[in-house]
């Protein structure tokens, strides 16, 4: 990700945070706008082109979305269009990020935890993963699967997020989409996710100690998402963002085999 996009995303994060009370419909408004922008290369280029004046971009947004979106959604889109992006396609990244953060801020529900649950459900069901991730499956079919699977079982915000992800995957696999969304919504709530994989379920005391230790190490509140994988034999694999701490027996045995073979 280019430096211009990184700064634009930071500005978008701040803009959502400054809204205070976030309307429940704001995330869906942003996701809908993202689909429109994503479907039009000409519109995307016009909104992301630094040579186009902000007043022209504002007028364009008003002409397309003025009667369809709330003032809060238009204001966020205006800020995103005014930002500088490393690539024109990164504007879609910004709209999605603003939508994810708005969703997390508009509810007391544990959106990040719900997304992790959906990711685990998809990871454990090959047919479901194919139904949601196949490029050959019509978008309408994917949306129908999401709504039948999740409506009434998770918050409306989580349903809206997953529905958006299958509509605009931008080349990403469904598992990657869900993990990224979980990380962004967690960050919007002020904590980071540590994905901990172990051969057997962790006890409550173990989880608490590990959470406290990682929080102290990273200097920020962390929440553990636990995954059980018997193939690891023993030990733990911890992933926090791009950091991976692999202390599993399986990885040690693999390293030993490579050393002996080398």
């Amino acid at each position: 990700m280019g430096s211009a996009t990184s700064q634009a995303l930071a500005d978008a994060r701040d803009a959502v945070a400054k809204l205070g009370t976030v309307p429940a419909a704001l995330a869906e408004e942003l996701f809908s706008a993202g689909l429109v922008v994503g479907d039009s290369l000409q519109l995307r280029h016009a909104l992301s082109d630094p040579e186009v004046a902000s007043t022209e971009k504002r007028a364009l947004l008003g002409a397309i979305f003025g009667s369809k979106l709330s003032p809060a959604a238009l204001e966020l889109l205006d800020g995103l269009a005014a930002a500088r992006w490393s690539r024109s396609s990164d504007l879609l990244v910004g709209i999605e990020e603003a939508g994810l953060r708005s969703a997390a801020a508009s509810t007391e529900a544990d959106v990040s935890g719900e997304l992790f649950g959906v990711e685990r459900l998809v990871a454990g069901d090959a047919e479901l993963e194919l139904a949601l991730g196949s490029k050959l499956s019509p978008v309408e079919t994917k949306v129908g699967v999401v709504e039948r699977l999740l409506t009434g079982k998770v918050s409306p915000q989580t349903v809206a997020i997953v529905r958006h992800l299958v509509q605009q995957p931008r080349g990403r696999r469904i598992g990657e989409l869900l993990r990224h969304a979980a990380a962004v919504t967690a960050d919007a709530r002020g904590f980071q996710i540590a994905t901990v994989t172990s051969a057997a379920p962790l006890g409550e005391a173990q989880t608490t100690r590990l959470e406290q230790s990682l929080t102290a190490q990273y200097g920020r509140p962390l929440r553990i998402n636990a995954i059980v994988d018997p193939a690891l034999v023993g030990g733990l694999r911890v992933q926090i963002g791009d950091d991976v701490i692999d202390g599993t027996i399986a990885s040690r045995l693999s390293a030993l085999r490579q050393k002996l073979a080398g």
Side-chain angles (χ1 to χ4, degrees):
M1 184 182 298
S3 58
T5 290
S6 296
Q7 182 58 54
L9 289 177
D11 292 342
R13 176 194 63 210
D14 294 342
V16 174
K18 289 177 182 177
L19 289 176
T21 301
V22 177
L26 181 58
E28 290 207 62
E29 288 184 290
L30 292 169
F31 292 147
S32 296
L35 292 177
V36 173
V37 176
D39 285 342
S40 174
L41 183 61
Q42 183 178 5
L43 176 59
R44 188 161 69 251
H45 282 170
L47 292 176
S48 61
D49 187 348
E51 299 300 320
V52 177
S54 296
T55 52
E56 293 182 44
K57 294 180 180 181
R58 188 175 301 116
L60 182 58
L61 288 169
I64 297 173
F65 300 114
S67 62
K68 302 174 183 177
L69 301 180
S70 65
L74 282 172
E75 182 180 350
L76 286 173
L77 288 173
D78 184 39
L80 289 164
R84 287 187 173 271
W85 301 94
S86 302
R87 301 176 302 174
S88 64
S89 59
D90 287 350
L91 175 60
L92 298 178
V93 179
I95 297 173
E96 179 179 283
E97 176 116 355
L100 292 172
R101 291 181 177 278
S102 297
S106 68
T107 179
E108 294 297 320
D110 181 11
V111 175
S112 176
E114 290 178 345
L115 288 167
F116 175 70
V118 176
E119 191 273 331
R120 287 292 84 203
L121 180 64
V122 172
D125 188 329
E127 289 187 6
L128 178 59
E129 184 173 15
L130 183 63
L132 294 178
S134 173
K135 295 180 180 179
L136 301 178
S137 180
V139 172
E140 295 78 8
T141 301
K142 296 178 183 179
V143 169
V145 171
V146 169
E147 292 179 344
R148 288 194 300 274
L149 181 70
L150 301 180
T151 300
K153 299 175 183 176
V154 296
S155 65
Q157 286 81 357
T158 295
V159 176
I161 289 172
V162 181
R163 185 168 56 231
H164 165 73
L165 295 178
V166 300
Q167 287 178 291
Q168 196 174 68
R170 303 200 319 275
R172 299 166 294 174
R173 297 177 66 86
I174 185 63
E176 177 189 355
L177 289 165
L178 292 166
R179 287 190 294 272
H180 172 72
V184 172
T185 52
D187 184 71
R189 290 286 187 84
F191 64 90
Q192 199 167 1
I193 293 174
T195 302
V196 178
T197 308
S198 58
L202 297 177
E204 184 176 345
Q206 286 178 294
T207 301
T208 300
R209 286 196 301 271
L210 182 59
E211 203 167 74
Q212 292 173 343
S213 174
L214 292 172
T215 294
Q217 183 176 345
Y218 280 82
R220 189 182 185 196
L222 279 117
R223 177 181 296 175
I224 288 178
N225 284 342
I227 299 174
V228 176
D229 181 1
L232 298 182
V233 185
L236 298 175
R237 182 181 187 275
V238 180
Q239 181 166 358
I240 303 171
D242 294 331
D243 294 349
V244 177
I245 307 167
D246 196 338
T248 63
I249 292 176
S251 70
R252 295 173 192 169
L253 291 174
S254 177
L256 178 60
R257 282 194 295 268
Q258 292 176 10
K259 187 174 181 179
L260 291 173

